Amino acid sequence: MFKATIKSLLSRKLRLVLSALAVVLGVMFVSGSFVLTDTLQRSFTDLFSSAFANVDVSVSPHQEKGKQPEPLTPQAIADVKSVPGVAKAVGDVQGSARPIGKNGKVMTTSGAPRFGSNWTGAGLEKLRDGKAPQADDEVVVGAYLASTGGFKVGDDIGLLTLEPKKTFKITGIYEYAGGRDSLGGELSVAFTEPVAQQLLLGKKDVFSSVTVTAAQGTSEDALRDAVAAKLGSGYDVKTGATLAKEQADQINEGLKFFNYVLLGFAGIALFVGIFIILNTFSIIVAQRTRELALLRSMGASRGQVIGSVVLEALVIGLIASIVGLAAGIGVGALLAKIFSTVGGGNLHLAGIGVPLSAIISSFAVGMIVTVVAAVMPALRASRIAPVAAMREAATPDRPLTKITIFGAAVVALGGTSLGFGFNNASLPLIFGGILVAFVGVALLTPMLSKPMVSLIGRLLSWSMPGLLGRRNSARNPRRTAITAAALMVGISLITGVSVVLTSATKSIEKLAAGQLQTDLIISGEGQMEGAQATFKRDVLTQVEKTDGVSSAFGWASDGVLQGDSQMFAVAVTDVSAMKTMFGLKPLSGDIAPLKDDQIAIPEGLATEKGWKTGTTVTLQLAKAQPKTYTVGFVWAKSQVLQGAMVLPESAAKGFRSDQINQAFVQVKPGASATDVQKRVEPLFADNPEITVQDRSAFVKQTTSQFDTVLLMIQILLALAILIAVLGVINTLALSVIERTRELGLLRAIGMRRSQVMRMITVESVVISVFGAVLGLAVGVALGVATVQALKDQGISDLGFPWVTMVQYLVVAAFVGVIAAILPAIRAARLNVLDAIAYE
């Protein structure tokens, strides 16, 4: 039996390749994910080891939860210097500094920080050109910033810090150890010490941290303990090695999530691959009916027949795992290179390595997936009676009653799991429910395939080849269903996400049109390297005085601590104006200017916390002592400021930044919002991070991020759809082999080669469109369920991406045409006489 199985495999090389290809792609994604994250983790570990190479011990103020630490004073540095074993102690200043390019726009990165510091000349930095800054209006810039922005010594550069735009003269350009332009794609500048303290920390004579160098013969650990004993518990004292490890661990934790995402899509690809392998082995078993039955008649047991099919699956799985692992190493290396040059800016990659997890997962996943997919066909093969060896046709298809009932039960189970998952915010239940629901729908598709395929096929059956193609796609419901189910998975996931994002966009647009009675919105980029795009309160006063402005208000925002809960809060300049522009209606209390010890909250937050008007709440602000506030009023359920609390304007002094980061303007009746916008924009000429937009432009900007999310998901799910396309090719190719004699007879009675190709193409298009229709239906159902579950999160309106859904159908039809090319050419090239004689 072993020899017979191996010979059967080798005699059907095309079948072997097509069977293994789907698994290869899935394994490639899995192994590539592990190779990529392993390479990046080692690269960031090397990066931070280099960054802290000159640091023996570092001292920084202790960080308490919810409270911004006070910077270090010169006295703290003096105390450090007095510790025995300290050779040198240098105060460091660091904070957010965003450079403005020569085009007048703020320079951005793909995740790397933008920061400023004081120039000490004692770290890893070394001047490559020019000299150190000496005057208050002088800076030196990192080589990567200089090359990216096209700056050179002597140029002026605009910088945004805690204060609005200031212009400096570049006196020098510096590099890092080893001649590096940057450590990881960061944009960095260095000021004189007094200027850095004022612009980055907001105070004079203060420091972010102290870098300590040990005297010869003093170990890092001993020095750390001595410094910690001298300073007391109000400081964090760590060795350079500890800091490097902590920073690398933080990055690696983020990479773990990134890896989980990639592995999730790899799981989807493998899930789709199971359908293809299952279909492939089902067709193989049907084609080998006579061969297997002859083996039974010659004395082979059922166990040997099962072993033969499973052995074939193991060989295919082994080959696919080896090829997939090799391809995954290449893909992981390529992605790491792209990340280092694009996503990471200038990250120096460690050598490409193949972790043990990549090898184990590749062989475990590749072989298990293939064997699991082959089990059912193997059991079916073992039931073939010896008398079947005398039949010319394959075993007829079985009734669909049992599989339909079982499929309905599985769909119900998946739906129940989804319901519990959404209600309890349990990701395992949600993902498990989606997986089970997909399996259930796949089990139901044979029942749906005959009527739906027949209906879809009518659109293409205006000629005899089209009619035959339609009937071919409908005559084996199980095979058609499994092939279509592979395509269904990818399209349904994309459709579900599209429904959710369309609904979110529609909800935001409705909110803007209904509740936001504001004409202009002034806002910035949001959170960046620990700072926000902000502007001063007196600029808002100038906005209020601008011709055509009826009223305006703004807020400073920050996180505040209530007990152990981190909450979002805004300190509003004019609560009455907020009430009018946001259409807020009091549920209790009176919406009026807040007193210094009052807060306002939305109904949802009040219900969640059990608060009401008069309830006292103790809040910890970042730069203030804990303070007790009283709930002044609760506003009725609204889509605005959900989950946020409103604090009086005076509370902004306790925020990390007390400047305004968002403002809203209402124009006078009869005034043009466009004209007012033109008069307001010059007020922010020195702050290019701040934009003044009308309501529609703000909504468009807010929802544009959804398009980016959708595009990323479409790219990642493209692999699953590609595997599904291979499934259609595989099914058609094996079907052509199965129908060799039939095709020969059709050619013999006058069917032309072009007509044969058209028949195969119609069959392929019908199967692909059927899979797309199933995917759209399942995706819409998943999307609707998700939107219903997220109603309390602000997605109040259901929207459908009709244009996108039609595009998916068109793409599915195109996919069908592409998938039919190779099988159609093979069918058309069959020798008529050989095909008629084929058995």
Side-chain angles (χ1 to χ4, degrees):
M1 284 297 293
F2 177 80
K3 289 182 178 179
T5 301
I6 299 300
K7 284 185 177 181
S8 174
L9 268 172
L10 296 176
S11 65
R12 299 175 175 87
K13 297 181 181 63
L14 176 63
R15 186 181 72 192
L16 176 66
V17 171
L18 292 173
S19 303
L21 199 52
V23 183
V24 166
L25 291 173
V27 171
M28 178 185 73
F29 214 148
V30 172
S31 58
S33 301
F34 283 111
V35 169
L36 172 62
T37 51
D38 175 75
T39 302
L40 294 181
Q41 283 174 354
R42 288 185 291 105
S43 299
F44 280 112
T45 298
D46 292 347
L47 165 66
F48 291 116
S49 296
S50 299
F52 293 101
N54 289 355
V55 179
D56 291 329
V57 171
S58 176
V59 180
S60 58
H62 180 65
Q63 174 73 62
E64 293 183 18
K65 185 177 179 181
K67 189 173 181 180
Q68 181 171 317
E70 288 293 326
L72 300 173
T73 63
Q75 182 59 49
I77 298 178
D79 291 341
V80 172
K81 288 181 177 179
S82 68
V83 175
V86 172
K88 184 169 60 175
V90 179
D92 298 315
V93 179
Q94 193 170 89
S96 174
R98 286 92 64 198
I100 299 170
K102 291 189 174 181
N103 60 356
K105 298 183 181 296
V106 177
M107 296 176 64
T108 60
T109 67
S110 298
R114 298 170 294 179
F115 65 87
S117 62
N118 59 323
W119 178 257
T120 63
L124 291 174
E125 303 88 357
K126 176 184 176 183
L127 280 175
R128 176 184 292 179
D129 189 16
K131 61 179 183 178
Q134 296 176 344
D136 289 351
D137 63 347
E138 294 179 345
V139 294
V140 288
V141 301
Y144 185 64
L145 168 57
S147 61
T148 303
F151 293 106
K152 61 183 184 298
V153 173
D155 286 351
D156 289 337
I157 184 171
L159 294 168
L160 297 172
T161 56
L162 291 179
E163 298 186 12
K165 176 184 173 183
K166 289 184 179 296
T167 303
F168 296 85
K169 180 76 69 178
I170 297 176
T171 62
I173 296 173
Y174 60 88
E175 63 184 18
Y176 293 90
R180 294 180 178 181
D181 284 357
S182 78
L183 292 175
E186 75 283 355
L187 301 177
S188 59
V189 299
F191 307 84
T192 60
E193 188 170 284
V195 174
Q197 291 168 334
Q198 185 61 44
L199 296 184
L200 304 180
L201 300 179
K203 295 181 179 180
K204 295 181 180 180
D205 295 327
V206 290
F207 299 88
S208 307
S209 62
V210 180
T211 297
V212 185
T213 303
Q216 190 171 3
T218 304
S219 70
E220 290 184 1
D221 291 341
L223 183 60
R224 175 200 60 200
D225 295 341
V227 172
K230 175 69 175 180
L231 296 179
S233 60
Y235 301 87
D236 290 331
V237 184
K238 300 175 182 178
T239 64
T242 301
L243 284 174
K245 184 178 184 305
E246 287 179 352
Q247 293 290 330
D249 287 346
Q250 287 181 15
I251 295 291
N252 292 340
E253 192 63 34
L255 289 175
K256 279 183 182 178
F257 175 77
F258 179 59
N259 196 35
Y260 293 151
V261 172
L262 291 178
L263 290 175
F265 284 102
I268 294 169
L270 289 168
F271 182 63
V272 173
I274 288 178
F275 287 106
I276 296 174
I277 298 297
L278 176 64
N279 205 24
T280 300
F281 276 92
S282 296
I283 297 172
I284 289 171
V285 167
Q287 292 177 354
R288 294 175 60 194
T289 297
R290 296 184 69 181
E291 175 189 330
L292 295 172
L294 281 170
L295 290 172
R296 289 293 312 279
S297 65
M298 293 168 63
S301 66
R302 290 184 62 182
Q304 286 177 310
V305 172
I306 294 174
S308 173
V309 178
V310 171
L311 177 61
E312 188 168 341
L314 278 172
V315 171
I316 292 173
L318 178 62
I319 295 172
S321 298
I322 294 172
V323 176
L325 174 60
I329 294 171
V331 168
L334 177 62
L335 290 175
K337 183 65 176 175
I338 292 173
F339 184 93
S340 68
T341 56
V342 180
N346 196 28
L347 178 66
H348 287 246
L349 285 178
I352 301 299
V354 184
L356 186 62
S357 56
I359 299 173
I360 294 174
S361 61
S362 295
F363 285 97
V365 168
M367 297 183 72
I368 290 174
V369 164
T370 312
V371 171
V372 167
V375 166
M376 290 301 295
L379 292 174
R380 195 179 310 137
S382 70
R383 299 192 185 102
I384 297 174
V387 72
M390 302 177 186
R391 296 178 184 166
E392 191 170 336
T395 308
D397 217 11
R398 300 186 307 280
L400 302 175
T401 307
K402 290 183 180 179
I403 195 172
T404 301
I405 295 173
F406 183 60
V410 173
V411 168
L413 178 62
T416 303
S417 177
L418 273 173
F420 279 114
F422 282 133
N423 288 334
N424 298 291
S426 171
L427 285 179
L429 281 176
I430 292 173
F431 290 137
I434 291 173
L435 181 64
V436 172
F438 278 146
V439 173
V441 172
L443 293 172
L444 288 175
T445 46
M447 177 195 69
L448 301 172
S449 65
K450 261 194 173 179
M452 288 188 66
V453 164
S454 179
L455 180 63
I456 295 169
R458 288 184 185 277
L459 301 174
L460 303 171
S461 56
W462 60 82
S463 62
M464 183 54 65
L467 180 62
L468 290 174
R470 168 191 150 202
R471 289 180 177 176
N472 286 336
S473 57
R475 70 180 179 180
N476 194 324
R478 292 173 186 268
R479 183 181 303 176
T480 299
I482 294 174
T483 307
L487 189 60
M488 170 202 68
V489 174
I491 290 181
S492 61
L493 289 172
I494 293 176
T495 303
V497 172
S498 298
V499 169
V500 173
L501 296 182
T502 302
S503 299
T505 300
K506 186 176 179 181
S507 300
I508 292 173
E509 289 173 346
K510 182 180 178 182
L511 168 65
Q515 288 187 270
L516 285 182
Q517 302 303 313
T518 177
D519 298 301
L520 300 177
I521 298 164
I522 304 169
S523 61
E525 291 184 4
Q527 196 70 22
M528 311 156 300
E529 297 95 47
Q532 289 181 319
T534 61
F535 55 95
K536 292 184 176 180
R537 177 68 174 86
D538 57 2
V539 180
L540 180 59
T541 302
Q542 294 178 52
V543 171
E544 293 172 333
K545 296 177 179 178
T546 301
D547 184 29
V549 171
S550 172
S551 62
F553 79 94
W555 62 52
S557 63
D558 199 6
V560 300
L561 203 62
Q562 189 269 318
D564 291 328
S565 300
Q566 186 80 21
M567 304 180 70
F568 179 70
V570 293
V572 178
T573 61
D574 188 339
V575 176
S576 297
M578 182 185 74
K579 169 194 170 184
T580 302
M581 292 193 211
F582 286 0
L584 301 181
K585 298 178 181 178
L587 184 69
S588 62
D590 180 27
I591 295 183
L594 290 173
K595 297 178 182 178
D596 286 345
D597 62 349
Q598 286 185 318
I599 61 172
I601 56 175
E603 180 183 358
L605 183 60
T607 303
E608 177 188 340
K609 294 289 187 178
W611 298 344
K612 58 184 179 180
T613 303
T615 301
T616 56
V617 180
T618 301
L619 301 177
Q620 170 68 68
L621 276 59
K623 292 166 60 177
Q625 296 299 318
K627 181 176 179 179
T628 299
Y629 291 87
T630 302
V631 176
F633 64 81
V634 179
W635 68 81
K637 201 166 188 179
S638 166
Q639 300 301 319
V640 181
L641 287 174
Q642 285 195 13
M645 61 173 62
V646 175
L647 274 62
E649 184 178 6
S650 59
K653 295 177 182 178
F655 288 179
R656 288 174 174 83
S657 172
D658 62 353
Q659 298 190 49
I660 308 298
N661 64 284
Q662 195 160 23
F664 304 85
V665 179
Q666 192 173 49
V667 303
K668 293 179 179 178
S672 168
T674 303
D675 292 340
V676 174
Q677 180 179 350
K678 291 178 180 178
R679 288 192 285 269
V680 169
E681 284 176 336
L683 299 176
F684 301 94
D686 287 339
N687 199 336
E689 286 178 310
I690 298 295
T691 57
V692 182
Q693 300 171 296
D694 60 24
R695 196 164 42 192
S696 60
F698 178 76
V699 170
K700 186 176 181 181
Q701 182 191 49
T702 303
T703 57
S704 63
Q705 59 188 315
F706 298 153
D707 297 330
T708 304
V709 171
L710 181 59
L711 178 62
M712 291 175 59
I713 292 174
Q714 286 174 329
I715 292 172
L716 290 170
L717 286 176
L719 178 64
I721 296 176
L722 174 61
I723 295 175
V725 172
L726 293 174
V728 177
I729 297 173
N730 201 6
T731 298
L732 291 174
L734 294 174
S735 179
V736 167
I737 296 172
E738 183 181 49
R739 288 155 38 198
T740 299
R741 189 174 185 187
E742 174 188 320
L743 292 169
L745 289 171
L746 288 172
R747 290 292 313 282
I749 61 174
M751 180 175 275
R752 298 188 302 274
R753 286 184 174 181
S754 61
Q755 290 177 313
V756 172
M757 295 179 71
R758 201 184 315 157
M759 178 182 71
I760 299 296
T761 302
V762 167
E763 185 176 349
S764 176
V765 170
V766 168
I767 292 173
S768 297
V769 173
F770 173 47
V773 170
L774 278 177
L776 291 174
V778 174
V780 166
L782 287 174
V784 169
T786 304
V787 169
Q788 292 298 318
L790 295 176
K791 270 196 170 182
D792 292 338
Q793 306 301 318
I795 303 181
S796 57
D797 284 70
L798 185 62
F800 297 100
W802 297 112
V803 174
T804 304
M805 291 163 67
V806 171
Q807 288 173 345
Y808 291 156
L809 278 177
V810 173
V811 169
F814 178 73
V815 160
V817 174
I818 298 299
I821 291 175
L822 292 178
I825 292 173
R826 180 182 175 87
R829 286 180 176 175
L830 287 175
N831 182 283
V832 176
L833 294 179
D834 290 344
I836 293 173
Y838 182 85
E839 292 186 3

